[in-house]
Amino acid sequence: VLQLENPMLALQDMLHRLRSSRPTAGTYTEALWGRDVLLIGLMMRTPLRAKNLRHLTYREDGKGNLLRKPDGTWELFIPREHFKNHDGAASKREYRMVLDAGIYRDLEIYLGVFRPMLLKGNSKATDYLFVSTNSGTKNQPWTSLNRHVQALTAQHLMQCPGAGPHVIRHIVATSIVKA
């Protein structure tokens, strides 16, 4: 993938393949699929480390890491001390990024339909954005996120035996450098 002229095309293809595998509507499996579509889409747009992805929060009152601004745009905010390199490159400023509008639909469907399904109707169960099947209602971060991304890439990323979130960071970075 990294040898491609534009490695992002491989991730776009992966997301397309994932979208085309949508399960039966209204099922728990579809809710997991919607979470996965958002996860991969978000990783393509803001390649955070797995720890940061696991700890992203969402609260309707706007006090989480993911917030909807009054103009309808979505922003990710992460305090600098939440980064591995908080004493280095991340020490100068907070992480604030207005998300690309291309992800808004997936984000809003996940928050409005799929996340409540995964939380089994208990919206107060956790503030974590990404709900796992094991820890979603226990207010714990998604501990198996790395393994899950590895399974998704093995299934949907061309000629990939499976790679974790850090590899997706490298694909995005290589795409930027090549562009």
Side-chain angles (χ1 to χ4, degrees):
V1 169
L2 294 176
Q3 294 173 357
L4 294 171
E5 185 176 327
N6 183 353
M8 282 301 289
L9 292 177
L11 290 179
Q12 289 170 354
D13 178 69
M14 176 187 172
L15 190 56
H16 176 73
R17 291 169 188 260
L18 180 58
R19 284 183 191 284
S20 69
S21 68
R22 186 176 192 150
T24 304
T27 63
Y28 190 78
T29 306
E30 184 193 31
L32 294 171
W33 168 88
R35 178 206 58 199
D36 294 346
V37 167
L38 177 61
L39 174 65
I40 298 301
L42 187 63
M43 290 172 63
M44 289 171 59
R45 288 163 175 87
T46 177
L48 296 167
R49 285 186 171 87
K51 178 183 176 186
N52 295 111
L53 288 166
R54 279 193 297 273
H55 288 91
L56 286 178
T57 58
Y58 170 74
R59 290 181 47 184
E60 289 184 24
D61 63 6
K63 293 184 180 174
N65 300 115
L66 176 69
L67 35 120
R68 187 171 196 164
K69 297 172 75 172
D71 65 1
T73 59
W74 287 93
E75 179 180 78
L76 266 182
F77 165 74
I78 304 173
R80 62 180 156 255
E81 60 270 9
H82 292 187
F83 285 98
K84 175 183 172 183
N85 57 350
H86 61 87
D87 290 329
S91 67
K92 303 287 186 252
R93 59 186 166 84
E94 309 291 338
Y95 183 87
R96 282 195 181 275
M97 180 179 189
V98 175
L99 296 176
D100 178 84
I103 199 169
Y104 292 3
R105 184 172 183 266
D106 293 331
L107 179 57
E108 290 165 4
I109 291 171
Y110 174 71
L111 292 175
V113 178
F114 297 137
R115 188 171 181 270
M117 287 173 68
L118 296 174
L119 291 173
K120 299 175 175 100
N122 184 1
S123 63
K124 306 249 187 266
T126 186
D127 288 339
Y128 291 112
L129 174 63
F130 292 111
V131 178
S132 78
T133 54
N134 297 328
S135 61
T137 57
K138 298 176 187 167
N139 199 23
Q140 296 174 351
W142 186 6
T143 56
S144 62
L145 181 137
N146 290 41
R147 286 188 304 277
H148 189 71
V149 170
Q150 188 169 5
L152 288 172
T153 55
Q155 187 174 6
H156 300 288
L157 186 60
M158 62 181 203
Q159 299 178 3
C160 182
H166 208 76
V167 170
I168 293 179
R169 285 173 52 93
H170 284 283
I171 293 170
V172 172
T174 300
S175 296
I176 292 167
V177 169
K178 286 187 173 191

